[in-house]
Amino acid sequence: MNKRQFKKYGLLAFVLIFICSLLLTACDTSSTTSPANSNSNPANKSNATSELSGSITFLTNRTDMIGKEYDDYLKRFNEKYPNVQIEFEASQTDYNQQVKVRMASGELPDVLFIPNIPNSDLPKYFAPLDDLGLNDQITFKDFRSFDNKVYGIATGSATAGIVYNKKAFADAGITAIPKTWDEFLAACEKLKQNNVIPLASNFKDKWPLNTWAYDTPRLIENNADFPNTKLKTDTPFTLDNGYGKSFSLLKELNEKGYLEPDINSTNWEQSKKDIAQGKMGMYYLGNWVINQIIGAGTTSDNVGFFPLPYDNSGELHAGLSPDFFYAVAKDGKNVEAAKAFVKWMLEDSGYEDFAGFIPPLKDRQSKLPQLVEFQSTGVKLQEGLTDDAAVTEISNKAQIDLPAIIQEFVLAKDPQAVLDKWNAAWAKAKKDLGY
């Protein structure tokens, strides 16, 4: 390279070095000044907006918890989610019907229990709950699911049986729990002779008859899917099948004077106090009622629990069924906050123990000693199944209300006429709908 060429390329190299130094300076200035503004940091933005907030409403059937346990739940929930406000709205009427009315009007609360609707309708009203991360932990996962998505999670599970006052039994000379229907009737007679109302039916309130309407027929038939067999017949209600036999058991108890003296004027809240005090001897309900009796004025060790011996075989059976299912309205204004509340209720509230439920999460154990007694009888549990959508559709069109049919049946001079009436309604609805 000659002197002239050196000067030429040397000058070019100098210019290039100078330009690069300016560019590097600019880059360095940018990198040191950017973090000074925290709003420009995406991570900081995420942290600033990740905390849930908003107001939600929970429509509950537990009117007795308003202003009491729910206040404690809110306080503990707000320790984790301080910016979420919750209003607990108590249903003062038939919960199922009230929710259906609000569904029709498009005014669902944020959190609620799923009413009696086909699972195919769930996506119309509710948000999927799969993102709560609980699918592998919950019981009855598919019970309120559709198209492989979970729309409802059980508040807990229950098994129906005889909840009884131990002192009332002892005072009446009942030394062993009945294991046959005849033994059960004998125990009722002893209670009656000791001036104790043997069984609180709460007949007038209708809903306490659910055990006779839904649980016992399945057990008598030894078929968890028994309600769905109605699709194969125009006469689903007969005296010699699960429905007729179950209804007849309650009718027999009434005719023998083992229910309340006036079954048309029963009082649910008062009955809990009467069971607690031993004025009444038994309920035939789910284990969820045990803690309510204790709360009404007795001690846990005075309340027992055994399966209803609905026949004379000596074998004891009971159904296992979910209680209400939590759901989140998909059109709510604060869906994520509502989901957080549902998850908190399942994981942290302790509601299942308060309500006397078998926990909805598989890794949780019940703290209820009465369940230990119940299972020590060797009872065989039958897990319930959901009704076929067609059964629900036909039942709704025919206005089939099993507890209401039981009310008619028990009071009727001709119970067969009651069954004939509802068989006709079923058959017509079935035909009209093309089944």
Side-chain angles (χ1 to χ4, degrees), residues 256-325:
K256 290 182 180 295
Y258 297 155
L259 306 183
E260 299 94 330
D262 181 5
I263 58 175
N264 286 312
S265 62
T266 56
N267 183 293
W268 166 247
E269 290 298 332
Q270 183 60 44
S271 73
K272 290 189 287 187
K273 298 176 183 178
D274 290 341
I275 293 282
Q277 296 168 7
K279 295 179 181 178
M280 294 179 170
M282 299 177 282
Y283 276 135
Y284 177 38
L285 291 171
N287 53 274
W288 51 265
V289 79
I290 291 170
N291 281 353
Q292 294 192 41
I293 296 172
I294 296 169
T298 190
T299 57
S300 177
D301 58 6
N302 189 39
V303 181
F305 189 43
F306 63 88
L308 172 73
Y310 51 80
D311 60 23
N312 286 318
S313 68
E315 293 185 359
L316 298 175
H317 299 263
L320 184 65
S321 58
D323 198 71
F324 281 114
F325 282 74

Side-chain angles (χ1 to χ4, degrees), residues 353-430:
D353 289 324
F354 171 79
F357 288 140
I358 297 169
L361 301 181
K362 296 176 183 178
D363 61 349
R364 305 286 176 92
Q365 297 297 318
S366 173
K367 299 177 182 178
L368 208 61
Q370 287 79 6
L371 284 174
V372 177
E373 176 191 358
F374 187 87
Q375 292 177 303
S376 71
T377 64
V379 62
K380 297 178 181 178
L381 294 176
Q382 181 192 87
E383 187 169 317
L385 300 174
T386 187
D387 286 354
D388 189 286
V391 170
T392 302
E393 185 182 10
I394 298 169
S395 296
N396 289 341
K397 184 172 180 60
Q399 297 183 326
I400 300 291
D401 182 344
L402 289 178
I405 293 175
I406 290 179
Q407 288 176 320
E408 288 186 61
F409 184 97
V410 169
L411 297 175
K413 293 182 179 179
D414 183 4
Q416 182 63 57
V418 175
L419 300 185
D420 291 343
K421 167 187 170 183
W422 291 106
N423 280 333
W426 169 268
K428 184 179 185 305
K430 184 168 172 278

Side-chain angles (χ1 to χ4, degrees), residues 37 132 163-164 301:
N37 183 356
L132 295 185
V163 183
Y164 69 104
D301 58 6

Side-chain angles (χ1 to χ4, degrees), residues 163-174 186-200 256-261 271 274-283:
V163 183
Y164 69 104
N165 184 300
K166 290 184 176 181
K167 186 176 186 301
F169 266 47
D171 290 347
I174 304 169
C188 287
E189 183 62 28
K190 287 183 177 181
L191 289 168
K192 182 181 178 182
Q193 292 301 320
N194 205 40
N195 298 315
V196 174
I197 296 171
L199 185 75
K256 290 182 180 295
Y258 297 155
L259 306 183
E260 299 94 330
S271 73
D274 290 341
I275 293 282
Q277 296 168 7
K279 295 179 181 178
M280 294 179 170
M282 299 177 282
Y283 276 135

Side-chain angles (χ1 to χ4, degrees), residues 7-25:
K7 287 183 178 180
K8 175 183 176 182
Y9 289 110
L11 179 62
L12 179 60
F14 175 79
V15 171
L16 289 173
I17 292 171
F18 177 74
I19 292 172
C20 286
S21 67
L22 289 177
L23 290 172
L24 287 172
T25 303

